[in-house]
């Protein structure tokens, strides 16, 4: 206890000196001092102190709009987490989101940070990143009105309600009235492709309830919404004949987006026992989209590894 208190007092004294340097405008000198202390703490295995110092330093530099220094210290926070094999917990994930939020939205450092943070957050369970971190990133991007990237992260979270509310805003501000059904249809189909049936149901019920241009249902005025409603019921039942008839009956609606049938092929395999097609794997743009979306499929480890190594915010 005494040793811990002494270490904490030491960190606070050092932080006071560094803060004074930053407040005087000696940004370069302060940045170099942070780096020197980082490597000193790491060599002494003082991982908690190193992480706290870099985290607070990054936030301090962000508050003075010193983007490069702040981003560098943010990456050092991740380095501590990786090298100390720190366990994933909610506080750490929230701190990572707080570092992500003030980063320059167009900087390559932000892309690198989020990719590395998600990779660390897997903890060996979810190869595409921890759902809670995805949710925190999604909310930040939503506030920035970066709807497409927010949407990607919501898909890999467990927050179907938040995703639906974001999609309502996305549709109302950027979409055509004739496309209100397509915004939620794509999300439901992609959640199902990721085997997240619960979020698929929540995003559908919340979106159709809250969207100002959708009349109360079911049944709905828009045939595509009725298809999605029936599909979610069919997924619960698991009967292939119901799924097959449903897809045949709603082909006119499903032709509105060439990706729908690709997603439905995958959903048929996951929930209705449809064997995979014997033809070669999807190629081109559609293949890349499917691979990036469904990188968590057990049968394609190579695709998973490729997805892990790529930027996690490229999916539109």
């Amino acid at each position: 206890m005494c040793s811990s208190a002494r270490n904490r007092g030491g960190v606070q004294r050092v932080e006071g000196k560094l803060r004074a340097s930053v407040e005087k405008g000696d940004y370069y000198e302060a940045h170099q001092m942070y780096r020197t202390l980082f490597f000193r703490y790491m060599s002494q295995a003082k991982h908690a102190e190193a992480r706290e110092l870099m985290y607070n330093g990054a936030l301090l530099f962000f508050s003075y709009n010193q983007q490069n220094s702040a981003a560098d210290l943010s990456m050092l926070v991740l380095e501590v987490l990786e090298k100390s094999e720190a366990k994933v917990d909610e506080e750490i994930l929230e701190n990572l989101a707080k570092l992500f939020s003030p980063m320059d939205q167009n900087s390559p450092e932000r892309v690198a940070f989020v990719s590395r943070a998600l990779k660390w957050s897997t903890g060996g369970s979810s190869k595409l990143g921890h759902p809670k971190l995805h949710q925190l990133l999604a909310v930040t991007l939503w506030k920035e009105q970066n709807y497409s990237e927010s949407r990607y992260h919501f898909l890999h979270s467990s927050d179907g309600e938040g995703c639906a509310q974001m999609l309502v805003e996305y549709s109302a501000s950027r979409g055509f009235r004739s496309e209100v059904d397509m915004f939620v249809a794509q999300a439901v189909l992609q959640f199902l492709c990721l085997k997240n049936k619960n979020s698929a149901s929540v995003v559908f019920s919340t979106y159709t309830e809250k969207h100002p241009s959708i009349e109360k249902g079911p049944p709905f005025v828009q045939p595509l919404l009725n298809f999605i409603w029936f599909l979610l019921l069919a997924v619960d039942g698991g009967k292939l004949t119901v799924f097959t008839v449903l897809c045949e009956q709603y082909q006119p609606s499903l032709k509105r987006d060439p990706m729908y049938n690709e997603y439905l092929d995958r959903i048929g395999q996951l929930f209705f026992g449809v064997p995979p097609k014997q033809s070669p794997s999807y190629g081109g743009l559609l293949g890349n989209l499917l691979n990036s979306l469904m990188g968590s499929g057990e049968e394609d480890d190579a695709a998973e590894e490729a997805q892990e190594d790529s930027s996690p915010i490229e999916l539109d």
Side-chain angles (χ1 to χ4, degrees), residues 265-281:
D265 283 345
R266 176 68 174 162
I267 290 165
Q269 294 166 32
L270 291 173
F271 296 101
F272 300 97
V274 176
K277 287 183 175 179
Q278 297 302 307
S279 58
S281 60

Side-chain angles (χ1 to χ4, degrees), residues 45-207:
K46 293 181 177 179
H47 298 131
E49 291 87 346
R51 191 174 85 213
E52 181 181 358
L53 188 64
M54 295 306 106
Y55 173 71
N56 291 334
L59 292 180
L60 179 62
F61 276 121
F62 277 129
S63 72
Y64 283 84
N65 200 30
Q66 296 299 302
Q67 282 284 332
N68 291 338
S69 296
D72 181 57
L73 298 193
S74 298
M75 296 302 275
L76 293 181
V77 170
L78 291 175
E79 189 171 323
V80 183
L81 293 173
E82 293 162 352
K83 291 187 174 178
S84 65
E85 298 181 351
K87 291 187 177 179
V88 176
D89 65 40
E90 191 151 329
E91 182 183 2
I92 292 176
L93 296 178
E94 287 175 353
N95 286 345
L96 293 177
K98 288 175 184 175
L99 294 176
F100 171 78
S101 181
M103 283 186 185
D104 180 351
Q105 297 173 20
N106 299 312
S107 70
E109 289 82 8
R110 196 187 214 203
V111 175
F113 177 81
V114 72
S115 180
R116 192 169 168 185
L118 286 167
K119 193 167 187 177
W120 169 77
S121 76
T122 58
S125 59
S126 174
K127 291 192 177 183
L128 290 173
H130 195 286
K132 179 61 179 178
L133 183 55
H134 276 296
Q135 191 263 345
L136 292 167
L137 296 173
V139 170
T140 298
L141 290 160
W142 176 13
K143 289 175 182 174
E144 296 171 2
Q145 297 185 332
N146 190 339
Y147 299 114
S148 60
E149 291 182 11
S150 172
R151 192 180 162 287
Y152 171 88
H153 289 289
F154 269 125
L155 280 171
H156 293 286
S157 75
S158 301
D159 186 5
E161 184 173 353
C163 182
Q165 291 172 340
M166 181 278 295
L167 288 173
V168 169
E169 185 179 307
Y170 189 8
S171 165
S173 63
R174 305 276 174 88
F176 295 105
R177 187 181 175 87
S178 61
E179 295 174 341
V180 293
D181 50 350
M182 298 180 76
F183 277 80
V184 72
Q186 185 184 41
V188 170
L189 295 173
Q190 290 185 339
F191 269 125
L192 290 175
C193 286
L194 293 166
K195 295 188 282 190
N196 191 342
K197 186 167 66 171
N198 181 61
S199 293
S201 296
V202 172
V203 76
F204 180 73
S205 60
T206 306
Y207 182 92

Side-chain angles (χ1 to χ4, degrees), residues 13 144 304:
R13 283 193 297 275
E144 296 171 2
E304 287 181 77

